[in-house]
Amino acid sequence: MAVDEPATAVVALPGGGFRAVAGRTVLDVPPSSASPTASPSPSSASPSSASPSASPDAKRWSLPGVGSALAVPPSGDWTAVALPATGDVIILSPTGAVTRTIPTGVRPTALAADTSRIAVVDASESSLTVFDAATGARQEALRAGDGAVTVASGGGGRFVVMDARDGELLVFDSGPLILRQRHPVAGTPYGIAYDPTRRTVWVTVTQRNEVAGYDISGGTPREVARHAAVRLPVAVSVDPSSGALAVAGSAEGLVQRIVP
C-alpha cells in the first residue's frame, strides 16, 4: 500500500495487521487489508508491486509532531511513538488518542517495547535508554556502538540494536543493561525486527535492497534467510504467528509484504 509520506517505521500487531508511521501520521492496517495487491514468492528476486492507495479499512491517526519510530508491546494495549523534535515519546490508546507523554531527555529516533518497558535509541548519541512504560521513569542507559539507528525487543529481557555506522548487530541483556552479542552485517543495515516464534532477527540491508534473517538463539548470531525487498528498505516488522514480514521502503513510500 502507498502512504502520503515515506514510511519510517512499521510494526506487526499481536492480533494481526500492521501499524506504520509516516511523517505526522500513523497508519493502522487491520488484518483483512494488511496484504498488498501482489507479494513476492520466497525466491523472488524483485520487490512486489503495491496498491497506490491505502485500503479503505485502514485508519489514519494524526500526531502532534513528526514521528520517527513506533513500538507496540506484546499485549497490543498501547502504541509508543517517538517525536525527535521535542524529545518526547507519546503513548497512544487503541484508538490513536495521546494518553501519556514521556520527556526522554534525549532525541528519540528509534523505539522498542516489551511488556513493561520502552527502549529508546538516540542516533545522535548512539545511545540506548530504557524507560518504565507505565510511569515514564528512566531506568538504564548505555552507549550502543558508534552509529545506533534502530532497536527491537529480542525477548527474554533483551534489546537488539542495529549499529549502521559499523555495520553490526548488537544484542543487549537488561537488568543490568549489558552488551552480550555483536555480529557484522554488510551492505549498510538499518531496520530491525524480532520474530519470537522463530527466534530470528530480521534486518533491512539498504545497499542491496534486501532483508536478512539472523538466528540469535545461540552464542553468536547466524544468518538463516535473505530476501529481495522494496527500494531503500528502512524498516521491517514480522507477524510472529505466520512469519510474514512487512517492509517499509523510503524510496517510493511503499509498505511491502513478504512471506518467507
Side-chain angles (χ1 to χ4, degrees):
M1 73 201 61
V3 290
D4 297 334
E5 300 179 60
T8 54
V10 59
V11 297
L13 303 178
F18 295 94
R19 196 163 289 158
V21 61
R24 292 174 175 264
T25 301
V26 171
L27 184 67
D28 184 58
V29 186
S32 60
S33 58
S35 301
T37 55
S39 59
S41 66
S43 60
S44 174
S46 61
S48 72
S49 60
S51 171
S53 60
S55 164
D57 293 331
K59 299 176 182 177
R60 295 175 184 266
W61 301 339
S62 296
L63 298 173
V66 175
S68 65
L70 75 168
V72 176
S75 65
D77 292 339
W78 45 268
T79 301
V81 181
L83 305 180
T86 60
D88 296 330
V89 171
I90 58 174
I91 307 299
L92 305 181
S93 72
T95 61
V98 178
T99 61
R100 187 180 309 114
T101 299
I102 302 174
T104 65
V106 298
R107 186 174 186 271
T109 50
L111 298 178
D114 62 13
T115 56
S116 61
R117 299 170 302 173
I118 300 171
V120 178
V121 160
D122 180 343
S124 64
E125 296 183 353
S126 194
S127 65
L128 175 65
T129 307
V130 179
F131 294 85
D132 184 285
T135 66
R138 179 183 172 122
Q139 295 183 336
E140 299 178 286
L142 199 65
R143 185 175 177 87
D146 296 317
V149 289
T150 49
V151 60
S153 176
R158 297 177 299 179
F159 290 106
V160 187
V161 174
M162 179 51 61
D163 180 349
R165 179 176 179 179
D166 294 336
E168 288 188 320
L169 185 69
L170 308 176
V171 182
F172 291 85
D173 278 345
S174 60
L177 197 62
I178 186 172
L179 178 62
R180 288 294 189 189
Q181 299 180 19
R182 61 193 309 167
H183 186 74
V185 180
T188 313
Y190 197 88
I192 189 171
Y194 179 65
D195 181 348
T197 303
R198 297 154 189 84
R199 295 181 294 184
T200 300
V201 170
W202 288 97
V203 177
T204 67
V205 185
T206 59
Q207 280 188 351
R208 301 177 180 178
N209 296 329
E210 295 175 337
V211 287
Y214 294 87
D215 184 337
I216 62 169
S217 61
T220 302
R222 176 176 59 89
E223 184 174 329
V224 294
R226 190 172 288 263
H227 303 285
V230 288
R231 291 177 55 208
L232 291 180
V234 294
V236 59
S237 185
V238 58
D239 180 352
S241 62
S242 66
L245 306 175
V247 184
S250 63
E252 298 163 310
L254 299 179
V255 177
Q256 171 196 15
R257 183 172 184 265
I258 297 175
V259 180

